Amino acid sequence: MPATIISGKEVSAEIRLELKGRADALKARGVTPGLGVVLVGEDPASVSYVTAKAKGSAEIGIFEETIRMPGTSTEEEILVTVDRLNRDPKFNGILVQLPLPKWVSSDKVINFISPEKDVDGFHPINVGKLLRGEPCPLPCTPYGVVQLLVRAGHSPEGKHVVICGRSNIVGKPLAALLMQKKKGANATVTVCHTGTKDLPYFTRQADILVAAMGAPKAITADMIREGCVVIDVGVNRVEDPSCPKGYRLVGDCDFEGMKEKAAAITPVPGGVGPMTVTMLLMNTVEAAERAAGLGS
Ligand SMILES: NC(=O)c1ccc[n+]([C@@H]2O[C@H](COP(=O)([O-])OP(=O)(O)OC[C@H]3O[C@@H](n4cnc5c(N)ncnc54)[C@H](OP(=O)(O)O)[C@@H]3O)[C@@H](O)[C@H]2O)c1
């Protein structure tokens, strides 16, 4: 039977509708959720990510302000901006768009964001809380993966989830999220990487396979078992002269080969991608709820 396609666009739209309701409820109490975005320079990819975040915020009623700083900004100048946002109560969330200029330490800037306002979930305090199972802003892409699974009817509870990739922004935090003794988690987790000997041996054991490697079509149909649920986080550009831009986007999984074997699969684009911005909006609304004394 052909795999069900798990649409990140549809799940994302459903979550944004819920978020609008939560933002409206906050406004009724006199609180408008606020997001401050720091954009340094004019890298086209960064500008397009920031534009998507501003558009998403407007859609659900979050007050959003993008602070545009020149590409020549010093670390000190960026820290001063973050400090201003940390102190300003109209911002519940702060996001510094990465990458930063090469003379600026991203770690230093991220660590300077107030943990309560760290809506990317990258601050070491939040990473520690995540591992301990304490309430905190969850890193957006892993949070989006879990929401996709749960809302598409493939809760990871009791399942063997094999994650390919151990980065600090996807693989590691996803493993930490899924191993928690909580609803929507409670999975048995295996994390694979380039040091894994015989990757197919592990991927074939997966009830749920998450690919986050940045390696185009590295996971093929013969590497999964019949009925596996496949979440493809990878976004890779491959040359394609037949496309107007000269390239197209593919995931880390061979979608065409897998779609008759998997029970469900996310497409690229249109799978995990749309969820990442939506979860940032979710973290902002949740931070506003916490600041207003509501929620966890
Ligand atoms: N859709 C979204 O919103 C979103 C968000 C974030 C990332 N992404 C995409 O997801 C992918 C991963 O991103 P990332 O930031 O996590 O990448 P990353 O920092 O480059 O990490 C890649 C991970 O995959 C492992 N890996 C790479 N090739 C492998 C192979 N052939 N076999 C086994 N493991 C392999 C690496 O192992 P080692 O640790 O041993 O090097 C590393 O742990 C990229 O395509 C990125 O564009 C998408």
Side-chain angles (χ1 to χ4, degrees), residues 141 165-167 169-170 193-194 199 212-214 233-236 272-273 276:
T141 302
R166 58 173 161 192
S167 72
I169 62 165
V170 189
H193 41 74
T194 60
L199 184 65
M213 302 183 290
V233 182
V235 182
N236 309 286
V272 175
T276 299

Side-chain angles (χ1 to χ4, degrees), residues 4 10 16 19 21 47 50 54 69 77 88 92 100 109 166 174 176 183 191 203 236 241 244 253 283 290:
T4 310
E10 284 172 21
R16 287 187 189 203
L19 289 177
V47 170
V50 166
M69 302 183 67
E77 285 165 341
D88 190 336
N92 305 101
L100 292 170
V109 173
R166 58 173 161 192
L174 180 60
K183 209 166 173 293
V191 181
T203 56
N236 309 286
C253 297
N283 279 341
R290 275 197 285 269

Side-chain angles (χ1 to χ4, degrees), residues 31-51:
V31 178
T32 300
L35 174 66
V37 177
V38 180
L39 174 64
V40 183
E42 283 165 15
D43 169 58
S46 294
V47 170
S48 105
Y49 292 140
V50 166
T51 307

